[in-house]
């Protein structure tokens, strides 16, 4: 009889120990870190804000286009960016096409639970081409007329609002510049440094 009581006590102790340590055999909960890579797709419209000729003979240039941006979160609010941009417009009957590639930097700060403020800058290389029906295209470089590439820069300040998990809608005021070609009064090739101001609106999210 004494042996049976000892067996029961050992069995109860084994049950208590097994229930106490059951949690140690459970599978660990997955806590994956958020991706540091982000994307952004935005449309933009801008117009020249400076006369590029002292006698005001150069026309204002209006362009509209699209920007594709990749972002890498370095630490906290600090991001590195790489933007591919395309824009087109019209200058004195000529069609203007612009393509740019700009690495840059962006700072983002939260404004409440769903909204964020951001500001950034970039500098890179751009190509501007004018074409006219029946005429060949021509381009200009900051260094030589034989080279199509020129220096471009951009500044931005804006707001983002989270509309879904990892998806934001945003708008920004942009200021950008570079070398812009245009036809002069005799429809000869001319170009000068020109700056423009505009707006950008689009969506962004996490890869």
């Amino acid at each position: 009889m004494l042996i049976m009581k000892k067996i029961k006590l050992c069995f109860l102790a084994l049950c208590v120990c097994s229930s106490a340590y059951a949690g140690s055999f459970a599978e660990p909960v997955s806590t994956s870190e958020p991706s540091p890579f982000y994307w952004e797709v935005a449309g933009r419209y801008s117009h020249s804000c400076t006369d590029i000729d002292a006698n005001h003979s150069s026309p204002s240039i209006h362009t509209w286009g699209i920007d594709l941006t990749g972002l890498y979160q370095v630490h906290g609010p600090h991001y590195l960016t790489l933007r591919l941009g395309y824009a087109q417009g019209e200058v004195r009957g000529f069609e203007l096409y612009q393509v740019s590639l700009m690495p840059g930097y962006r700072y983002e700060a939260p404004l409440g639970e769903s909204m964020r403020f951001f500001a950034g800058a970039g500098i890179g290389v751009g190509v501007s081409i004018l074409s006219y029906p029946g005429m060949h295209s021509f381009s200009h470089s900051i260094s030589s007329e034989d080279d199509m590439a020129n220096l471009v820069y951009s500044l931005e300040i804006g707001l983002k609002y989270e509309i879904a998990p990892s998806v934001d809608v945003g708008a920004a005021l942009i200021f950008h510049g570079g070398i812009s070609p245009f036809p002069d009064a005799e429809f000869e090739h001319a170009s000068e440094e020109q700056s423009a101001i505009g707006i950008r609106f689009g969506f962004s999210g996490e890869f």
Side-chain angles (χ1 to χ4, degrees):
M1 197 70 178
L2 182 61
I3 296 176
M4 291 298 295
K5 288 183 178 180
K6 289 184 178 180
I7 293 176
K8 288 181 179 180
L9 290 175
C10 291
F11 179 75
L12 290 173
L14 182 61
C15 290
V16 171
C17 292
S18 61
S19 61
Y21 292 97
S24 62
F25 298 99
E27 293 184 1
V29 179
S30 176
T31 56
S32 59
E33 294 292 331
S35 171
F37 295 97
Y38 298 83
W39 56 267
E40 184 176 277
V41 179
R44 61 179 165 97
Y45 169 81
S46 62
H47 65 89
S48 58
C49 55
T50 57
D51 290 303
I52 58 179
D53 199 334
N55 59 14
H56 305 283
S57 64
S58 59
S60 295
I61 300 177
H62 300 258
T63 60
W64 53 93
I66 186 171
D67 293 328
L68 306 176
T69 308
L71 300 93
Y72 175 74
Q73 187 176 17
V74 179
H75 177 71
H78 306 287
Y79 294 79
L80 296 179
T81 64
L82 182 64
R83 173 169 296 142
L84 175 64
Y86 169 80
Q88 66 181 60
E90 186 175 335
V91 186
R92 288 178 175 165
F94 282 73
E95 294 178 349
L96 173 64
Y97 301 94
Q98 296 176 321
V99 179
S100 61
L101 182 65
M102 282 190 288
Y105 166 81
R106 177 183 287 182
Y107 176 87
E108 295 192 6
L111 296 176
E113 294 183 0
S114 301
M115 186 171 289
R116 295 200 305 276
F117 161 84
F118 66 89
I123 185 170
V125 176
V127 175
S128 297
I129 299 176
L130 283 170
S131 66
Y132 190 80
M135 298 178 62
H136 66 279
S137 300
F138 54 81
S139 61
H140 181 78
S141 167
I142 196 171
S143 57
S144 123
E145 298 212 4
D146 296 327
D147 190 354
M148 296 173 62
N150 57 77
L151 184 68
V152 292
Y153 57 89
S154 176
L155 303 173
E156 64 177 357
I157 181 171
L159 295 173
K160 284 183 175 183
Y161 185 81
E162 186 178 22
I163 58 175
S166 301
V167 178
D168 301 324
V169 62
L173 179 68
I174 58 175
F175 177 83
H176 60 94
I179 299 297
S180 293
F182 67 94
D184 60 17
E186 288 75 31
F187 288 92
E188 296 293 334
H189 178 250
S191 60
E192 292 290 343
E193 183 176 358
Q194 186 177 39
S195 57
I197 192 169
I199 56 174
R200 179 185 291 121
F201 178 85
F203 299 89
S204 60
E206 179 182 323
F207 276 114

